[in-house]
Amino acid sequence: TVGCVVVDKEGRCAAATSTGGLMNKRSGRIGDSPIIGAGTYACNLCGVSCTGEGEAILRATLAREVAAVMEYKGLRLQEAVDFVIKDRLDEGKAGLIAVSTNGEVAYGFNASGMFRGCATEDGFMEVGIWE
Amino acid sequence: MGGWAIAVHGGAGVDPNLPLHRQEEAKKLLTRCLNLGISALNSNLPAIDVVELVVRELETDPLFNSGRGSALTEKGTVEMEASIMEGTKRKYGAVSGVTTVKNPVSLARLVMEKSPHSYLAFAGAEDFARQQGVELAENDYFITQDNVEMLNLAKEANAILFDYRIPTTALDSSCAAEVDNPMLMNGLPISVYAPE
């Protein structure tokens, strides 16, 4: 699974996710990536893209959950990401990337590693795989 | 209002013994995609165009599980899915079960902008792709030798694997850990399985 989340200079957020799904999956199986609110979500607060065990991400409506705890619990972006990865996945293994309308970027995962990269306009840039 | 920000991912659940050269390949691709997005943002492209542009790049490169290089079904075929969403009006588009569309994320965007629907799947998505004239390819364009080997491993283990990138069977030096600790489960390196 691959994904990208962006907030532009006007503060507009967007998210996109694309995948081949699970190796050896049954034909016709649909995962989290095309399901809005599960693998992909964007609103006027944030943009989120998820990856990992699709069934766990679907049950957790993981991407929307990040926006929801920002909206209703007033969490900042990284706090929201940490909260949903820690408290919403049950035994599932997953990871996600997110941006917020005020130019923050965040990620989190409980699987063994996640291929990710992030950058902000003030010059920050990071590419990593492990914790 | 802050400035722009961007993040990309290539999948979670990575084999701890992934050879270093494959880790470097992955980091190079992630860096290339970040830089693609950064120059688009500095040229004032809107966020929705930038996420599509970057995911297309990731779909075209066979390294990660999407587009070319997608995971295989139990039949050894490719069935891809994608979605895209823009935050201001919360419009979105999604496709599932596409087998010949070179860039599923662009078809998802066409569903969002050129159809009265939000989500098209399987034959309906394929018909829409032809109507919209998006670039198509035979299913075997999406199939890589690496993934054929991964599918065989998964079948031997009777397992379903998510984004593990296990090294090819010819272990090289950087997989010393594997050789030292050849703990296998169902004939597969233990590292292939999601940690319980």
Side-chain angles (χ1 to χ4, degrees):
Chain A
T1 307
V2 300
C4 181
V5 290
V6 164
V7 56
D8 61 26
K9 293 181 179 178
E10 320 297 326
R12 294 170 297 199
C13 295
T17 311
S18 181
T19 188
L22 295 177
M23 189 65 77
N24 200 22
K25 69 182 180 183
R26 295 183 71 89
S27 182
R29 179 259 183 188
I30 287 177
D32 63 285
S33 300
I35 308 297
I36 293 305
T40 306
Y41 187 72
C43 61
N44 54 11
L45 270 179
C46 63
V48 185
S49 173
C50 304
T51 174
E53 283 172 21
E55 280 68 11
I57 295 167
L58 282 162
R59 287 198 307 270
T61 61
L62 205 63
R64 168 61 197 155
E65 203 68 359
V66 174
V69 295
M70 289 180 78
E71 191 173 350
Y72 300 119
K73 289 169 74 95
L75 299 191
R76 299 286 303 243
L77 185 69
Q78 188 64 57
E79 293 171 319
V81 169
D82 294 343
F83 175 81
V84 303
I85 291 287
K86 184 169 155 295
D87 289 293
R88 285 292 183 271
L89 274 168
D90 304 334
E91 282 78 47
K93 297 293 177 195
L96 67 85
I97 55 174
V99 291
S100 72
T101 189
N102 49 29
E104 297 165 300
V105 66
Y107 62 83
F109 56 94
N110 67 357
S112 61
M114 176 166 81
F115 296 113
R116 83 274 174 181
C118 35
T120 53
E121 190 165 8
D122 59 8
F124 166 75
M125 185 162 174
E126 175 198 296
V127 172
I129 298 175
W130 314 110
E131 280 290 349
Chain B
M1 176 83 70
W4 55 252
I6 181 172
V8 296
H9 72 74
V14 184
D15 171 31
N17 297 314
L18 189 68
L20 284 180
H21 69 275
R22 295 187 77 144
Q23 294 182 38
E24 285 316 309
E25 269 174 57
K27 287 182 179 176
K28 239 183 254 149
L29 175 57
L30 291 165
T31 305
R32 187 173 93 223
C33 290
L34 268 186
N35 288 326
L36 184 68
I38 289 169
S39 52
L41 284 162
N42 286 331
S43 318
N44 292 319
L45 249 64
I48 190 74
D49 290 352
V50 179
V51 294
E52 181 187 3
L53 178 75
V54 170
V55 171
R56 282 177 63 93
E57 185 72 16
L58 288 161
E59 287 172 337
T60 306
D61 193 295
L63 192 71
F64 292 133
N65 170 17
S66 72
R68 186 154 176 261
S70 281
L72 305 180
T73 68
E74 56 186 358
K75 297 173 186 157
T77 61
V78 162
E79 284 180 6
M80 301 169 282
E81 49 196 15
S83 64
I84 189 167
M85 184 164 192
E86 58 99 20
T88 30
K89 299 192 193 72
R90 281 189 295 184
K91 292 196 307 179
Y92 90 92
V95 291
S96 276
V98 290
T99 57
T100 65
V101 176
K102 257 194 171 179
N103 291 106
V105 71
S106 294
L107 186 62
R109 182 159 186 191
L110 288 168
V111 170
M112 177 171 90
E113 293 180 340
K114 302 271 196 281
S115 93
H117 306 305
S118 298
Y119 191 171
L120 289 175
F122 298 94
E126 291 284 341
D127 292 348
F128 183 67
R130 279 157 184 74
Q131 268 171 39
Q132 293 297 318
V134 301
E135 206 177 350
L136 304 173
E138 289 304 314
N139 200 252
D140 52 21
Y141 159 82
F142 303 97
I143 298 172
T144 60
Q145 188 48 36
D146 263 7
N147 282 338
V148 172
E149 286 165 23
M150 283 270 280
L151 178 62
N152 294 336
L153 281 175
K155 281 186 176 303
E156 279 164 32
N158 192 23
I160 301 243
L161 307 183
F162 68 106
D163 287 344
Y164 267 108
R165 288 275 175 256
I166 60 170
T168 45
T169 39
L171 295 176
D172 65 17
S173 54
S174 53
C175 285
E178 199 105 272
V179 176
D180 295 347
N181 166 24
M183 195 173 151
L184 301 178
M185 186 155 85
N186 298 325
L188 277 183
I190 189 76
S191 59
V192 162
Y193 293 94
E196 290 307 324

